[in-house]
Amino acid sequence: MKKILSIVLLFVATISHAQIKFEGVVTDSLNAPLELANVVAINKVTNGLESYGITDSEGNFKLQLGKNGSYTIKISYVGMKGIDDLISTLEADITKNYIMQPDNMLDEVELIYEMPVSIKGDTLIYNADSFNTGTERKLEDVIKNLPGFEINENGQVEVEGKVVNKLMINGKDFFDGDTKLATKNIPSNAVDKIQVLRNYSEVGQLSGVTNNQDNVALNIKLKEGKENFWFGTVTAGGGASPENELYLLQPKLFYYNPKYSLNFIGDLNNIGEQALTSRDIRNFGGGFRAPSRSSGTSINLGDNGLGSLTNQANALEIESKLATGNFSYSPNKALDLSGFLIYNSSRIFSRETSFVQYTNPDLGIPDESQEESSRDRSDQVLIKLSAAYKPNFSNQIDYDVLGRISNDAQNQNVFSSVVGTTAQFNEVTPYSINQNINYYYTLDENNIFAFEAQHLLRNEDPFYNALLVNDPNGVDAFDNTAEGLGLDTSLTNYDLGQNRRIKSNQLDAKLDYFRILNAKSNLNFTLGTILSRQDFNSNIFQFLEDGSQFNPTPLINDGLATNDTQYNFSDLYLGMRYRVKTGKFTITPGLSAHAYGNKNSQFGVTYEENFFRLLPEFETRIDFKKSESLTLNYNMANNFTDVTRLAQGLVLNNFNSIQFGEPELQNALSHNVSLLYNSFNLFNYTNVFARAAYSNNVDQIRGLTNFDNVIRTSTFFNSNFADENVNVFGRVQRTFGKIRATLNGSFNYSKINQFIQGLQSVNEGYTQTYTPGIRTNFKVAPNLNFNYRYSVTNNNQGSRETKFVTNAPSVEFDAYVWKRVTFRTNYTYTNQDLGNGESQSFQNWDASLAYRKDRDAKWEYEIRATNLLDIDSQVRNSANNVSVFTSETFIQPRFVTFRFVYSL
């Protein structure tokens, strides 16, 4: 790997040495510098774009040009006559200034050659073809070429360090703005412009009275000829693997015109290429945002689905089916209708081995080896309908309804060196209906009203079954737990079952009044409420050998093995914010008064708490320049738990994790401070983003855990010990001609007070990660993307300390040869030092080779290979507040597939 790094650095140095610097200053006839003037260099031989730049606030520009060449320099600026200048380069750098003359006859700049990047107000516009190299196939390939853009590990698009929360195609929402679905499926040859909408507000009436500086949206402008015609791709293919025949069918079809749009994405394959995973579907919010998101109150309704379903990257076998449809329709200028339907089905088989060491050897918890295999089944359906009516600027009403239903199941076989063999089965068929209605009314230029309400109805019904081997005449690791649960211990197995049902009903609504005092300040008054009810029922039972059910009476937890709990929560709040701009500062202090009501009823007893609390907040933003800012934010928040932590009866999370709740739990209070710095310099294409956040949690809800062998029983309480968390993340990115260098760094510190076997201890964790990278963007030459991830994780768990050091270099290479052949490959090597002189490593290598007659060809033929080295498994080492574990996850073998791609 050192050789690869040396080659990459030598390659970059060679390219850099072959260029000279052309710089200067652009001014007007009065010698005043012109900011944001466009400077373009056209190669006289190829007639192609060689380099480009935008002047800074001092009128400076800087271009990288090849040595011994001839170039046409074109300079343009609104209201000025354009400049065309011919220069020739030798071996030395060139400095030349330009003076532009007024041209009052022109209202707009007429560009002979389109600028790769341009600015219009708060909108940054990238011309896709200026950055494309010919190997792009999907929107994500285009985005990775753009300066200031990143696609993070979750598949989300980040621009200038900010996560994009909405993506549109020709101004129309694409599946409610989901960026992952768009980047993985929109064909690259349909993309003309990528517009970055900074300070984005979905409600134009509120754009001037709210802080939108962290809101970023993308609008993808399609190329001419794509409107009023179907476009997209249909991919079909097959192949072979050691055990199965492989197949793939992926139709992706799109239609856009000014009045309506239609999108269809399908996927049927058994090679592990999933456009959306089951986890993506569960996290798919459909564009819903809670009205109380900035009120200072957070109530957790819990998630009782199968969150443990296997991640596709950790699977041996994957079969997936996806069918999605999205439409938008505008019958007139005032009304917009839209909706989508998503059906996702997956079948996954996985296998993993692990070794677990618990935190304190003195507590008598034995080390445990596990071997686990799992078969997961997931079928999910989402449907959403939306309507937006805006008859004039003063009125806007929005309505959305989102329904989801799923049927998930998991069969697991677990062998434990302590407990023995266990078969587990989980199944849940939850459904939910979420409705949202918003109304915005502008009374006059100084008074604006906004009403937002959201209602959630959710039903979850998880079923759990575990079958453990029992020796009636011997001693098993599960015997003490079985006796505590009140099970019949005379049988040859323990066949446990549990039914649960959780019903949630929540209304979240608020009314905002904005009073504009003057051009630089306004007041915001908010009256809001959250009303929530949860009903929780559960019972534990044992299947006997004759098939009948036995309802045990536990010897622990006062004999409570069932739950029938009603939990009601209310928050009535009144808030006020004052927003003022003074010079470079935007200051927004705020205060909200909350009247809380908590009540839960179970086993004939009602527990009730009512209290009042003031929650302050404060934000200050300094705009050093239009694209450079520093933001300080502080808020105090009240965090409330869900019903399952209040319910007193026993609950099986699984056979080796049992919990019971505490009905008198109180809320946790958190103090949160963050500092955000953001700078994007178009003069030298330098992007700097940094965020530091600190949280201090008071009365945090923590677990009291006791182990019997490796079987834990937990309950909850409000800890008097404050937990703390510090997060720091930074990114520096700069473009040098055709080379882009990036450095990412992050640091996380967490302090958690834990209580195990009746003893309190402090768990401290430190993680620091640094990822330098170099990426090229040549039009003709092959391109490289080299990254090196270095990560150190330290955990202090009382009497046990662990340290993991990870080194993971990776290389991506792509080449567009003879304007017909596309070759792409990526390789990653991961090594983890365990801190005891031992280390573990694994490799990933994928490649593809595709042929098409030219860029406009309808047909493309591709051969693709994954896991070329045929690696059996991946290793992972990590630590939490309870244990340290090492795992080996078995992955899919080498797959080779041949594909046909037809482009519409």
Side-chain angles (χ1 to χ4, degrees):
M1 185 49 64
K2 291 182 179 179
K3 293 181 179 179
I4 295 177
L5 178 59
S6 300
I7 293 171
V8 171
L9 294 177
L10 178 62
F11 175 74
V12 172
T14 301
I15 295 297
S16 301
H17 183 70
Q19 294 181 319
I20 63 104
K21 181 169 60 178
F22 175 58
E23 61 185 343
V25 179
V26 179
T27 61
D28 62 13
S29 57
L30 300 177
N31 206 34
L34 295 178
E35 183 179 7
L36 302 181
N38 298 320
V39 184
V40 176
I42 308 298
N43 190 305
K44 289 286 289 182
V45 176
T46 65
N47 201 33
L49 177 68
E50 180 72 16
S51 186
Y52 64 94
I54 295 176
T55 57
D56 65 7
S57 58
E58 302 299 323
N60 296 303
F61 70 88
K62 185 188 299 181
L63 305 183
Q64 297 291 330
L65 302 178
K67 295 181 178 179
N68 303 308
S70 296
Y71 304 94
T72 299
I73 305 300
K74 295 180 177 292
I75 303 176
S76 57
Y77 190 83
V78 174
M80 296 289 179
K81 293 180 180 179
I83 293 177
D84 280 21
D85 185 29
L86 180 63
I87 67 167
S88 296
T89 62
L90 297 174
E91 300 289 326
D93 293 339
I94 299 175
T95 300
K96 189 172 185 178
N97 300 328
Y98 293 94
I99 299 175
M100 303 193 75
Q101 301 297 326
D103 187 357
N104 296 324
M105 299 298 294
L106 295 177
D107 295 325
E108 293 187 5
V109 174
E110 182 181 353
L111 292 178
I112 297 176
Y113 201 97
E114 193 160 24
M115 280 291 293
V117 184
S118 57
I119 300 176
K120 290 184 179 179
D122 284 334
T123 302
L124 193 62
I125 305 170
Y126 292 85
N127 181 47
D129 284 342
S130 298
F131 298 91
N132 289 345
T133 63
T135 62
E136 299 80 14
R137 294 297 182 270
K138 296 178 291 187
L139 175 60
E140 71 171 344
D141 300 326
V142 178
I143 284 177
K144 289 178 181 178
N145 293 335
L146 306 180
F149 280 71
E150 292 283 340
I151 295 181
N152 62 28
E153 293 180 353
N154 298 319
Q156 299 170 305
V157 178
E158 295 183 8
V159 180
E160 301 170 22
K162 302 171 185 176
V163 174
V164 173
N165 47 38
K166 179 179 282 292
L167 188 145
M168 298 169 283
I169 309 291
N170 276 9
K172 301 180 184 297
D173 284 0
F174 184 83
F175 286 91
D176 272 309
D178 183 75
T179 57
K180 184 175 181 179
L181 200 57
T183 57
K184 294 288 186 181
N185 294 283
I186 297 294
S188 60
N189 60 8
V191 179
D192 182 27
K193 304 284 193 304
I194 297 178
Q195 299 176 333
V196 180
L197 311 178
R198 296 185 284 195
N199 303 315
Y200 179 74
S201 175
E202 294 203 46
V203 183
Q205 296 151 278
L206 304 182
S207 61
V209 293
T210 55
N211 293 330
N212 304 304
Q213 61 269 10
D214 293 329
N215 296 339
V216 178
L218 293 184
N219 182 43
I220 309 301
K221 295 290 292 182
L222 299 176
K223 290 184 176 179
E224 290 186 17
K226 297 300 181 183
E227 283 199 350
N228 299 310
F229 292 96
W230 283 96
F231 67 93
T233 61
V234 178
T235 303
S241 71
E243 296 183 2
N244 299 309
E245 295 296 322
L246 305 177
Y247 59 84
L248 171 76
L249 180 63
Q250 294 176 330
K252 303 172 183 180
L253 306 174
F254 312 94
Y255 182 90
Y256 281 83
N257 71 22
K259 199 166 187 177
Y260 65 91
S261 67
L262 297 170
N263 305 293
F264 174 77
I265 299 171
D267 188 5
L268 178 68
N269 76 80
N270 66 345
I271 59 178
E273 292 187 11
Q274 293 180 282
L276 283 177
T277 66
S278 298
R279 292 186 181 186
D280 292 333
I281 296 291
R282 283 196 298 275
N283 296 328
F284 199 89
F288 280 74
R289 297 181 301 161
S292 62
R293 58 190 176 273
S294 59
S295 69
T297 298
S298 172
I299 177 170
N300 179 16
L301 297 182
D303 182 359
N304 299 281
L306 293 188
S308 60
L309 285 173
T310 305
N311 188 312
Q312 71 174 62
N314 301 326
L316 272 168
E317 298 176 8
I318 305 174
E319 295 181 15
S320 60
K321 300 175 184 177
L322 175 71
T324 68
N326 172 223
F327 81 93
S328 66
Y329 175 57
S330 303
N332 54 59
K333 292 184 178 180
L335 180 62
D336 288 310
L337 304 174
S338 62
F340 65 76
L341 173 67
I342 299 177
Y343 167 73
N344 186 63
S345 176
S346 64
R347 304 292 184 267
I348 297 177
F349 173 66
S350 62
R351 187 161 71 90
E352 181 179 81
T353 61
S354 60
F355 178 70
V356 183
Q357 292 178 294
Y358 290 89
T359 53
N360 191 340
D362 300 331
L363 297 178
I365 308 171
D367 295 340
E368 181 185 19
S369 297
Q370 280 192 356
E371 184 170 336
E372 176 185 307
S373 63
S374 174
R375 288 196 177 274
D376 300 346
R377 167 180 55 81
S378 179
D379 297 295
Q380 301 164 301
V381 176
L382 274 75
I383 184 170
K384 183 184 179 185
L385 296 172
S386 301
Y389 181 61
K390 190 175 181 180
N392 50 57
F393 179 79
S394 298
N395 292 271
Q396 179 177 334
I397 185 168
D398 304 325
Y399 174 76
D400 309 276
V401 57
L402 172 68
R404 69 173 76 213
I405 186 170
S406 65
N407 186 348
D408 301 331
Q410 184 178 63
N411 274 293
Q412 283 185 317
N413 288 298
V414 181
F415 174 76
S416 164
S417 60
V418 178
V419 180
T421 301
T422 304
Q424 296 186 97
F425 176 71
N426 287 275
E427 185 175 34
V428 60
T429 56
Y431 69 84
S432 66
I433 300 174
N434 205 337
Q435 298 183 81
N436 183 80
I437 186 168
N438 303 324
Y439 177 59
Y440 306 98
Y441 173 62
T442 301
L443 177 64
D444 53 43
E445 62 182 11
N446 295 322
N447 299 278
I448 303 173
F449 295 87
F451 174 74
E452 299 178 0
Q454 188 176 131
H455 179 259
L456 172 66
L457 183 67
R458 189 169 70 188
N459 184 84
E460 300 165 296
D461 60 344
F463 169 76
Y464 174 72
N465 175 237
L467 182 65
L468 297 90
V469 176
N470 177 44
D471 181 1
N473 301 316
V475 178
D476 297 314
F478 194 73
D479 285 347
N480 289 339
T481 302
E483 292 176 4
L485 292 175
L487 304 180
D488 185 344
T489 59
S490 65
L491 306 179
T492 57
N493 58 59
Y494 297 117
D495 197 347
L496 289 173
Q498 176 181 249
N499 286 310
R500 287 185 290 162
R501 184 175 294 275
I502 306 95
K503 295 182 179 180
S504 303
N505 193 333
Q506 180 174 285
L507 174 66
D508 187 345
K510 70 170 182 175
L511 175 65
D512 278 305
Y513 167 63
F514 296 91
R515 172 66 181 178
I516 300 175
L517 303 177
N518 51 54
K520 294 187 177 182
S521 64
N522 67 269
L523 284 169
N524 170 212
F525 297 95
T526 302
L527 176 64
T529 187
I530 304 174
L531 302 174
S532 176
R533 172 177 173 133
Q534 286 190 293
D535 295 278
F536 176 45
N537 296 277
S538 73
N539 67 297
I540 297 173
F541 54 90
Q542 182 181 12
F543 290 105
L544 303 180
E545 291 179 346
D546 61 1
S548 61
Q549 292 185 14
F550 168 63
N551 296 315
T553 301
L555 301 179
I556 60 175
N557 194 38
D558 298 325
L560 302 178
T562 63
N563 284 293
D564 184 5
T565 305
Q566 295 81 42
Y567 172 42
N568 290 278
F569 169 83
S570 65
D571 174 23
L572 180 64
Y573 61 92
L574 178 65
M576 185 187 76
R577 293 185 181 92
Y578 175 64
R579 181 170 177 264
V580 59
K581 293 183 177 181
T582 172
K584 296 181 178 181
F585 291 82
T586 301
I587 304 171
T588 312
L591 182 69
S592 58
H594 297 254
Y596 292 107
N598 266 314
K599 182 172 71 173
N600 71 85
S601 302
Q602 46 189 317
F603 300 105
V605 181
T606 297
Y607 303 87
E608 188 170 3
E609 180 188 25
N610 299 295
F611 65 98
F612 179 84
R613 176 159 286 164
L614 293 175
L615 298 178
E617 61 181 81
F618 181 79
E619 181 179 288
T620 296
R621 176 183 171 92
I622 309 173
D623 290 295
F624 302 107
K625 299 176 183 177
K626 191 169 185 179
S627 57
E628 183 183 14
S629 65
L630 180 68
T631 303
L632 172 68
N633 187 287
Y634 166 79
N635 70 80
M636 183 187 294
N638 258 354
N639 305 302
F640 296 85
T641 189
D642 70 306
V643 66
T644 61
R645 292 190 172 188
L646 301 172
Q648 289 177 282
L650 293 175
V651 174
L652 299 177
N653 296 318
N654 53 52
F655 74 92
N656 61 4
S657 178
I658 304 166
Q659 76 172 50
F660 56 93
E662 168 53 56
E664 295 187 273
L665 280 180
Q666 299 176 356
N667 67 286
L669 185 68
S670 64
H671 300 272
N672 309 289
V673 182
S674 66
L675 189 64
L676 177 68
Y677 175 78
N678 189 28
S679 172
F680 186 58
N681 190 330
L682 280 171
F683 167 65
N684 55 19
Y685 289 94
T686 300
N687 175 31
V688 180
F689 171 79
R691 184 180 189 273
Y694 169 78
S695 65
N696 182 289
N697 300 304
V698 183
D699 291 331
Q700 182 76 5
I701 296 175
R702 283 291 167 215
L704 289 170
T705 303
N706 288 291
F707 280 86
D708 178 31
N709 286 310
V710 294
I711 301 165
R712 72 185 70 179
T713 302
S714 302
T715 188
F716 307 97
F717 78 111
N718 288 102
S719 172
N720 292 324
F721 301 92
D723 294 340
E724 298 177 278
N725 190 272
V726 177
N727 283 285
V728 179
F729 174 79
R731 176 187 296 138
V732 179
Q733 185 182 93
R734 181 162 183 177
T735 301
F736 303 89
K738 300 295 184 179
I739 300 170
R740 188 171 78 205
T742 304
L743 175 63
N744 293 327
S746 65
F747 172 79
N748 175 264
Y749 166 76
S750 64
K751 176 185 174 183
I752 298 174
N753 291 272
Q754 59 190 14
F755 300 82
I756 301 175
Q757 310 294 70
L759 299 176
Q760 184 262 344
S761 63
V762 176
N763 181 305
E764 291 183 297
Y766 306 83
T767 300
Q768 50 187 318
T769 302
Y770 307 97
T771 309
I774 295 175
R775 183 185 185 93
T776 64
N777 187 238
F778 298 110
K779 285 285 187 179
V780 180
N783 284 290
L784 282 173
N785 181 17
F786 177 80
N787 293 279
Y788 194 104
R789 179 170 61 89
Y790 175 77
S791 177
V792 181
T793 301
N794 296 84
N795 275 82
N796 184 343
Q797 302 165 318
S799 62
R800 187 192 297 273
E801 294 187 16
T802 60
K803 179 180 179 179
F804 303 126
V805 179
T806 301
N807 290 273
S810 63
V811 177
E812 295 180 15
F813 174 87
D814 64 77
Y816 189 47
V817 186
W818 307 311
K819 296 185 179 180
R820 288 182 172 87
V821 177
T822 300
F823 174 68
R824 306 177 74 172
T825 185
N826 61 81
Y827 171 81
T828 303
Y829 173 80
T830 303
N831 177 273
Q832 193 167 62
D833 187 332
L834 306 184
N836 57 4
E838 298 181 5
S839 65
Q840 297 172 321
S841 63
F842 61 90
Q843 305 171 76
N844 295 99
W845 185 20
D846 303 330
S848 66
L849 185 68
Y851 170 82
R852 59 183 178 183
K853 186 177 179 180
D854 52 53
R855 292 194 183 191
D856 298 322
K858 294 291 186 182
W859 287 96
E860 183 173 24
Y861 312 94
E862 180 183 24
I863 184 169
R864 184 179 299 186
T866 57
N867 191 10
L868 274 167
L869 300 176
D870 205 19
I871 301 299
D872 294 329
S873 60
Q874 297 179 345
V875 293
R876 182 169 60 96
N877 300 276
S878 60
N880 56 34
N881 61 319
V882 175
S883 61
V884 180
F885 64 93
T886 299
S887 65
E888 181 181 17
T889 303
F890 294 87
I891 61 175
Q892 291 179 312
R894 180 192 298 121
F895 282 173
V896 179
T897 56
F898 184 75
R899 308 169 185 216
F900 300 87
V901 182
Y902 179 75
S903 299
L904 279 72

